[in-house]
Amino acid sequence: MSSQPSFRYMLSSPHHNQFGYITLGNEKVHHIGDADEFYKAMGYNDEISKTGLLPEEYIWNQYHSEKSEKSEVCLQIKIIEYLNKHSPSFKINYAVECKHWLESCKEKWTNKSTECKGCIPDNK
């Protein structure tokens, strides 16, 4: 495993073979049963919805674009938190890696890494 996860999710292409899943590489780690709940865990809420911004646009703006408020690392942490809450098998299969990933993120935050945009204070 790498020092940082690269979890991906597929909720925008219903005909894709990984549609509805969070994946790590080609491995299907968890099926997302409720897309609204998943997007909420990523920070999308009713207030944002009222602006007309779609969930995928919000995630792009927050975590991927050049002007994003947070980094890809912050998105990975959000996905890990979601998996910890919604996937008992994730906790069992990835407990050691998650501890390492989260400690690595906290260290970057503590050291004021340029890669870190300060999402940890939001996470407990």
Side-chain angles (χ1 to χ4, degrees):
M1 289 275 152
S2 64
S3 62
Q4 290 297 326
S6 187
F7 291 103
R8 300 286 177 237
Y9 64 92
M10 177 57 65
L11 291 173
S12 59
S13 297
H15 300 293
H16 194 281
N17 69 346
Q18 294 179 338
F19 177 73
Y21 284 91
I22 295 173
T23 59
L24 183 59
N26 290 323
E27 180 184 354
K28 291 178 179 177
V29 174
H30 174 75
H31 183 262
I32 300 169
D34 183 338
D36 290 335
E37 189 172 349
F38 174 78
Y39 287 129
K40 184 178 177 183
M42 300 304 110
Y44 187 78
N45 57 37
D46 291 339
E47 186 177 313
I48 296 165
S49 176
K50 289 176 186 175
T51 69
L53 195 64
L54 297 174
E56 288 297 324
E57 293 172 317
Y58 166 80
I59 289 172
W60 175 260
N61 289 339
Q62 288 293 302
Y63 301 103
H64 300 293
S65 76
E66 281 186 31
K67 297 177 184 177
S68 66
E69 294 180 23
K70 299 180 181 176
S71 71
E72 175 70 26
V73 173
C74 297
L75 177 60
Q76 295 300 310
I77 297 301
K78 290 283 190 191
I79 293 172
I80 289 170
E81 289 174 341
Y82 172 86
L83 288 168
N84 275 325
K85 183 176 181 183
H86 296 280
S87 177
S89 64
F90 177 78
K91 287 186 205 180
I92 293 166
N93 296 330
Y94 295 95
V96 173
E97 289 91 345
C98 282
K99 183 178 180 191
H100 173 74
W101 291 330
L102 294 171
E103 286 173 357
S104 174
C105 185
K106 187 173 182 178
E107 184 177 320
K108 288 177 184 176
W109 176 73
T110 302
N111 293 330
K112 297 178 177 26
S113 167
T114 57
E115 183 180 3
C116 182
K117 294 190 178 182
C119 61
I120 287 183
D122 296 336
N123 303 320
K124 299 190 167 85

